[in-house]
Amino acid sequence: MKWTKTLIQTLRDNPQDAEIDSHKLLVRAGIVKKLAGGLYTYLPLGMRSLKKVQAIVRDEMDKAGALEIVMPILQPAELWRTTGRWDTMGANMFKLKDRGEREAALGPTAEEEVTDLVKSVVGSYRQLPVTLYQIQWKFRDETRPRFGLMRSKEFLMKDGYSFDVDAEAADKTYWTMYHAYERIFARCGLKAVPVEADGGDMGDSQTHEFHVLADAGEDGIAFCEACGYAANLEKATRAASPAAAEESAGEIEEVETPNARTIEEVSSFMGLESSKFVKSLVYKADGKCVMVCVPGDRDVNDVKLKRFLGAKSLELADFGSVLDVTGANAGFVGPVNPSDKTLRIVADISLKGAVNRIVGANKDGYHLKNVDLKRDTSLSDADFADLIVVAAGDVCPVCGKTIVIKRGIEVGQVFKLGTKYTEAFKAVYKNDKLEDKTIVMGCYGVGVSRTLQAVIEYSHDKDGIIWPASVSPYQVCICLLDPDQAEVVKVSDELEAALEAKGIDVIVDDRAERPGVKFKDADLIGFTVRVVVGAKGLTNGGVEVKLRSEDKSKTRVVKPEDAAAVIEELIKG
Ligand code: ATP
Ligand code: MG
């Protein structure tokens, strides 16, 4: 392909709304162009890379035995009503009506759609297992679309769904997909780590997210470098011991703390460390107030709290409710003697046995000193659990070594769904005794467009993108320095043809531009291999070949007739 025959726009300036490097480079290198917030057009270069990522995903899915289909984006509301998700998906789902007032959604995912399909096609155990997948555009009205393709309103997802006869068979499929995912991301040039994640409304279901570690990642991940434990902070636990009883409890005492509400304010007012404080927050779990107490220097993990309470919904209580159940406004509430004596109180495990703590007095402007949680509150042993967000320095729940926290970009997720959807749809098969049995499901998502950008976030430098050969828009860029000299053009054309004959894709920068401009653009777009073909070079012995990832000093001068073989080796390596 000749540069002058394609449509490439590179930009010198970063887009105004870009916060992270990969977003800046996506736009500057002419991979995508923004239409509006969370909506992007894939330009010719971007389309080539996107198709390469898709091809890798498709190849691995096919090899894993999954069957490709494509289902409508426009999904009738009845499907979603069958599982109740028409109401519970909330504002994230784009809903619309057709001219006949029939309600529908732009698919944010497709569990309902695929279960409805399988219910009507599968009748016997002989047809199972079966795994179906599609690579289809998804729509989510994200609260905060940002970071380019990372969190957009319209994005390309590979979504796969497996159907098995029982949980044991479903487990086997799960791991087949898990390993396919490892290969997919490795082939895209990414190091993606599987981490344990929370099963969401699917309860304790097993699920792994695949994360590309990067400071720009939106998720926090707890890691143990000693044993390999890795979990999303939503799910991560720590080995926590009850508070050591190193001191004896003092007399409880009321202290006036005017205008000091936050832990920081109260601790600086009293001149004590924040860990001596108990942070007390009132939540509404399924509409009923509950107080949760954690050490003053730690944060409540809403996901773990919700699971511990067995609640379907969980949110912070409003000011009025806080006042009603405690007798004070937020900032002065605590576990000792709240005005509502039936208020359920729960606490983080590290507070079990804690003495001499400072808590809100349930009276505006006051705190209590020397609180012994056992002596002075209604907390019983069963009310303590691991309820805080794991932090660096916590103890690994598996091996007891120290946890570190990293940031990750979620590029994929594998999930055991059990029978949640198949029960709702009554998707059953007949076993060999002709009894009806509910099909057991799994689902498997890859953010194809997010993966494309994750490659850039993972692999770039100050000059631009560094594409791995597998997903580079063109694997080779020939910078043709003297497009007006027939001899030089001939060498370039022959090399282009020789590379294409080897199945390597090439772009020839044949623009009437200065070499500096061509080198800058080649670096910005980041084609895997750069070849310089120019009159001066040819008289000095040949063409110059270098990987984008290599320093200039590594440039090889190669005879034109050897160049294709050298480049092929570089790409393979
Ligand atoms: P997130 O937690 O980032 O919102 P999710 O867990 O809700 O994502 P899934 O339902 O697991 O997303 O979707 C499968 C994959 O689709 C994700 O692993 C991610 O790579 C991708 N994805 C999800 N939402 C978006 C989005 N708004 N823009 C781009 N890719 C997305
Ligand atoms: Mg996910």
Side-chain angles (χ1 to χ4, degrees), residues 60-81:
E60 290 296 339
M61 283 299 106
D62 293 348
K63 280 183 184 149
L67 307 167
E68 187 169 7
I69 58 173
V70 62
M71 296 182 284
I73 291 171
L74 198 57
Q75 304 180 8
E78 293 77 72
L79 289 176
W80 293 87
R81 290 213 165 89

Side-chain angles (χ1 to χ4, degrees), residues 285-306:
D286 295 334
K288 203 165 181 298
C289 283
V290 49
M291 181 184 286
V292 53
C293 300
V294 301
D297 56 348
R298 304 300 297 257
D299 294 316
V300 177
N301 181 323
D302 290 4
V303 176
K304 288 197 277 187
L305 175 62
K306 189 173 169 191

Side-chain angles (χ1 to χ4, degrees), residues 173-184:
T173 307
Y174 180 87
W175 291 105
T176 302
M177 286 294 145
Y178 179 103
H179 295 307
Y181 273 41
E182 290 179 318
R183 288 189 296 273
I184 287 171

Side-chain angles (χ1 to χ4, degrees), residues 266-291:
V266 190
S267 71
S268 78
F269 178 80
M270 295 179 79
L272 288 168
E273 281 168 37
S274 56
S275 58
K276 278 284 164 202
F277 290 76
V278 172
K279 197 191 272 180
S280 308
L281 298 169
V282 181
Y283 281 80
K284 272 197 173 163
D286 295 334
K288 203 165 181 298
C289 283
V290 49
M291 181 184 286

Side-chain angles (χ1 to χ4, degrees), residues 52-168:
K52 291 185 181 187
V53 177
Q54 286 185 59
I56 291 170
V57 171
R58 188 170 276 127
D59 185 51
E60 290 296 339
M61 283 299 106
D62 293 348
K63 280 183 184 149
L67 307 167
E68 187 169 7
I69 58 173
V70 62
M71 296 182 284
I73 291 171
L74 198 57
Q75 304 180 8
E78 293 77 72
L79 289 176
W80 293 87
R81 290 213 165 89
T82 305
T83 53
R85 289 212 292 178
W86 180 257
D87 299 314
T88 57
M89 288 296 281
N92 243 23
M93 191 150 83
F94 281 104
K95 295 176 175 176
L96 48 86
K97 282 181 185 163
D98 69 9
R99 63 178 79 205
E101 293 288 301
R102 280 173 292 260
E103 291 178 299
L106 298 180
T109 176
E111 284 82 6
E112 280 81 356
E113 206 174 26
V114 76
T115 309
D116 182 63
L117 168 77
V118 167
K119 171 193 163 77
S120 65
V121 176
V122 172
S124 155
Y125 72 94
R126 290 195 186 85
Q127 292 166 286
L128 298 175
V130 65
T131 299
L132 302 172
Y133 77 96
Q134 63 175 349
I135 299 177
Q136 178 64 292
W137 296 96
K138 298 290 183 294
F139 294 79
R140 292 186 187 180
D141 196 356
E142 297 280 359
T143 327
R144 237 189 116 195
R146 58 181 186 153
F147 298 157
L149 304 179
M150 292 277 189
R151 185 164 298 285
S152 47
K153 289 186 179 167
E154 179 175 347
F155 59 97
L156 194 60
M157 193 204 283
K158 186 286 294 181
D159 44 327
Y161 307 89
S162 63
F163 300 84
D164 277 282
V165 290
D166 57 23
E168 198 187 327

Side-chain angles (χ1 to χ4, degrees), residues 34 47 49 110 193-194 250 259 266 372 448:
K34 180 173 162 183
M47 196 58 209
S49 285
V193 284
N259 304 321
V266 190
D372 175 337
V448 176

